[in-house]
Amino acid sequence: MTNKIPDYGKTFALMRDGCRPQWRDYIEHDFVKGLADGSLPQASFLQYMVQDYVYLVHYARAWALGVVKAESPEEMKLCAATVDSLINREFSLHIQTCAAPRH
């Protein structure tokens, strides 16, 4: 059996093609468009950052569980590195962004 690395770009394109109306709704959403063109109100962005932080806490916990459930040292390293990145980089980015002075 050969371990072939999947072509994620192709896989993503196939998934996107399978849900064109939903993808269009996603990329044409006011939040996404406002984020892209700079018109998103700062309060909306900060609210998103707070919600995303809560999500990241649980996401980090899920990856931490991956360390426990891993079947090889390589899998453990991947999961542990992801937890480290989330806790020591992503968390602080969210905290710094939300604590920054408002314009």
Side-chain angles (χ1 to χ4, degrees), residues 56-71:
L56 286 175
V57 169
H58 295 287
Y59 190 57
R61 288 178 175 154
W63 275 100
L65 185 57
V67 175
V68 175
K69 301 264 184 181
E71 296 181 4

Side-chain angles (χ1 to χ4, degrees), residues 5-81:
I5 298 173
D7 180 348
Y8 290 107
K10 183 177 180 181
T11 300
F12 183 75
L14 289 171
M15 291 187 306
R16 185 183 59 224
D17 289 345
C19 62
R20 286 230 179 253
Q22 295 86 352
W23 179 253
R24 186 185 62 251
D25 290 346
Y26 171 74
I27 63 172
E28 293 179 6
H29 191 277
D30 289 341
F31 182 91
V32 174
K33 288 166 48 175
L35 190 59
D37 68 15
S39 67
L40 183 69
Q42 187 176 35
S44 297
F45 177 71
L46 292 174
Q47 180 180 0
Y48 161 78
M49 290 295 284
V50 169
Q51 291 173 345
D52 194 51
Y53 181 84
V54 172
Y55 164 79
L56 286 175
V57 169
H58 295 287
Y59 190 57
R61 288 178 175 154
W63 275 100
L65 185 57
V67 175
V68 175
K69 301 264 184 181
E71 296 181 4
S72 70
E74 291 78 20
E75 289 177 352
M76 291 174 75
K77 289 176 186 177
L78 173 70
C79 293

Side-chain angles (χ1 to χ4, degrees), residues 42 46 94-103:
Q42 187 176 35
L46 292 174
H94 282 64
I95 292 167
Q96 290 170 1
T97 300
C98 290
R102 310 282 191 276
H103 305 305

